[in-house]
Amino acid sequence: MARKASNTSKAVVTIAAWSIGFLIFFPILWIIILGFKSEADAIKTPLQVLFSDWTLRSYHDVQERSNYGRHFWNSVILSVGSTVIALAIAIPAAWSMAFVPGRRTKDLLMWMLSTKMMPAVGVLVPMYLLFRDFGLLDSRIGLVGVLTLINLPIVVWMLYTYFKEIPGEILEAARMDGASLKSEILYVLTPMAVPGIASTMLLNIILAWNEAFWTLQLTTSQAAPLTQFIASYSSPEGLFYAKLSAASTMAIAPILILGWFSQKQLVRGLTFGAVK
């Protein structure tokens, strides 16, 4: 009887989990479906949309109108570049906070996290003026710097939480064997923290790839990533649902595939320290 109840509970939980997952994923699925419809069919009722003809016309129009390759490579450069710089800064910072904490370490961590609570529009004007005065508008270098700074608190927090799980005795043993600070970080701590660094890197790439506010405000054409590519299909002339959906699908496909194949690492990275 107990086993039957247990199996029933598992079935209910499984069905509920799949239902919630489907509801969360449904907007993305609907965007993908609309991308294969004509503009006339895309504005019909859901049932009419599903049973209308499927076509690649919207993808063809998007390729003719926009340079997808340039926007794609801009997104790759911005997301990977900002992630590499953020990790180069965050690994030593997280090491010092985890293994050589000071009186203000927790206050510093909370201050870093609090910066994520501030609306980005609150600093838009000074940031825009700085970019204008230094000639960084519509440049990859400027955007890499911005994306690095806005995601740096999350990177430091994730690495700090992971480093706290590494026994300090291992580092003490390395010091007793004569390891310098540089060797301790590069050859002892970093190899042990590869899973945490990898999951942090993947999450930061996703966050940088999806960043829309700053990329839309600080770029126009040369450094414009895929967020600008999507936004170009919303204009005063109206919303072109089929083309907008096709452009959105092309923009999210690479990061969706990356997230699918690295979901275990992402879950591990997001749950560091949650269960002791």
Side-chain angles (χ1 to χ4, degrees):
M1 188 68 180
R3 180 178 295 179
K4 183 177 180 181
S6 177
N7 291 337
T8 303
S9 300
K10 288 181 179 178
V12 171
V13 171
T14 301
I15 293 173
W18 276 100
S19 300
I20 295 172
F22 178 77
L23 288 174
I24 294 173
F25 184 73
F26 181 75
I28 299 176
L29 177 62
W30 192 248
I31 287 174
I32 295 172
I33 292 173
L34 289 180
F36 290 96
K37 304 295 180 177
S38 65
E39 290 293 349
D41 292 332
I43 60 175
K44 294 180 179 178
T45 62
L47 284 178
Q48 290 176 323
V49 169
L50 288 175
F51 292 103
S52 60
D53 294 334
W54 295 72
T55 177
L56 294 173
R57 182 65 188 177
S58 296
Y59 286 94
H60 181 266
D61 292 342
V62 168
Q63 289 282 18
E64 283 191 340
R65 174 179 168 178
S66 306
N67 187 345
Y68 173 78
R70 177 168 56 84
H71 290 90
F72 172 79
W73 284 113
N74 281 340
S75 287
V76 172
I77 292 170
L78 295 178
S79 57
V80 174
S82 63
T83 298
V84 171
I85 297 174
L87 286 175
I89 298 172
I91 289 176
W95 172 88
S96 64
M97 293 178 183
F99 298 107
V100 194
R103 291 187 303 170
R104 299 294 183 182
T105 296
K106 291 186 177 180
D107 294 336
L108 180 59
L109 284 167
M110 289 305 301
W111 172 78
M112 293 179 66
L113 191 62
S114 70
T115 61
K116 297 295 296 179
M117 303 175 189
M118 180 179 63
V121 70
V123 292
L124 173 60
V125 173
M127 285 295 294
Y128 185 88
L129 294 177
L130 285 172
F131 268 58
R132 184 199 63 184
D133 294 342
F134 286 96
L136 295 175
L137 286 174
D138 200 20
S139 70
R140 293 172 178 171
I141 295 176
L143 273 180
V144 166
V146 169
L147 294 176
T148 298
L149 293 175
I150 64 176
N151 292 325
L152 188 60
I154 295 177
V155 178
V156 172
W157 260 93
M158 289 184 66
L159 291 178
Y160 168 78
T161 308
Y162 186 81
F163 288 170
K164 288 289 288 184
E165 295 183 350
I166 298 177
E169 291 78 6
I170 296 177
L171 299 182
E172 292 178 3
R175 294 181 195 130
M176 292 181 65
D177 289 338
S180 63
L181 179 59
K182 178 181 177 182
S183 300
E184 181 182 328
I185 295 176
L186 289 180
Y187 303 115
V188 181
L189 180 66
T190 301
M192 294 181 63
V194 165
I197 294 174
S199 58
T200 303
M201 178 185 68
L202 289 170
L203 180 62
N204 193 74
I205 288 175
I206 293 173
L207 291 174
W209 187 282
N210 293 330
E211 175 59 39
F213 180 82
W214 290 110
T215 55
L216 292 177
Q217 302 301 326
L218 301 177
T219 63
T220 52
S221 57
Q222 295 302 318
L226 287 170
T227 49
Q228 188 73 259
F229 170 73
I230 297 173
S232 66
Y233 289 89
S234 175
S235 67
E237 300 173 2
L239 285 173
F240 303 95
Y241 288 108
K243 295 182 182 64
L244 180 61
S245 298
S248 299
T249 301
M250 294 170 67
I252 67 175
I255 208 67
L256 195 64
I257 295 171
L258 176 64
W260 177 266
F261 285 105
S262 59
Q263 55 185 305
K264 291 183 178 179
Q265 288 77 13
L266 288 173
V267 171
R268 176 173 172 76
L270 291 171
T271 55
F272 282 154
V275 179
K276 293 292 186 180

